[in-house]
Amino acid sequence: MARKIRVLVAKPGLDGHDRGARVIARGLRDAGMEVIYTGLHQTPEQIVEAAIQEDVDVVGLSLLSGAHMTLFPRVAQLLKENGADDILVIGGGTIPEDDIRALKEGGWVKELFTPGTPLETIAEWIKANVKV
């Protein structure tokens, strides 16, 4: 039997709303994944440390504060610096289309999901892109 995909769901920065992150965490758990939710106000350093300690396959960042162009690249850079750039970084939140394109083209995230994306779509994307 294959092991479960492990996903860390994190809320970086000062964003104080986590309902969406909790819904995503529950949906991924219901889809058969192991999910670790770090809670609010996490620094990129805390997120990367938790991702490495928990040996996750995916880091899912949820951000509504508008700091995605700073925080997403910082998490990706720290993963690389710590030899953990095999961990997929995905994200979600209120992110303008131009920023989505820039984050993906820059290699900072593999995929971004905007509000209203069905949970099944996110779970299917993860299952299709994580090798366990």
Side-chain angles (χ1 to χ4, degrees):
M1 183 167 125
R3 69 171 178 81
K4 289 185 175 186
I5 295 171
R6 294 178 56 83
V7 180
L8 181 97
V9 175
K11 292 288 296 180
L14 300 177
D15 190 352
H17 302 281
D18 71 342
R19 183 176 183 137
R22 289 176 182 267
V23 169
I24 296 295
R26 167 70 49 102
L28 297 179
R29 191 173 306 120
D30 289 349
M33 298 176 205
E34 281 187 46
V35 180
I36 300 100
Y37 174 57
T38 62
L40 291 168
H41 310 300
Q42 298 293 298
T43 66
E45 291 78 8
Q46 289 171 317
I47 292 165
V48 169
E49 182 178 341
I52 292 169
Q53 286 180 352
E54 294 288 347
D55 194 27
V56 300
D57 302 296
V58 179
V59 170
L61 302 172
S62 172
L63 199 61
L64 300 172
S65 69
H68 49 270
M69 295 303 289
T70 301
L71 293 171
F72 286 12
R74 181 70 179 142
V75 169
Q77 183 62 38
L78 286 169
L79 286 169
K80 184 176 184 175
E81 289 173 9
N82 284 278
D85 52 344
D86 59 326
I87 297 173
L88 295 180
V89 178
I90 63 173
T94 309
I95 304 170
E97 193 62 44
D98 287 346
D99 291 352
I100 289 173
R101 191 170 24 267
L103 287 166
K104 288 171 75 174
E105 288 174 0
W108 304 118
V109 297
K110 294 295 183 190
E111 190 59 80
L112 288 162
F113 302 96
T114 55
T117 302
L119 291 171
E120 298 80 22
T121 301
I122 300 168
E124 288 170 12
W125 188 95
I126 292 171
K127 288 176 182 179
N129 288 278
V130 172
K131 310 299 179 244
V132 289

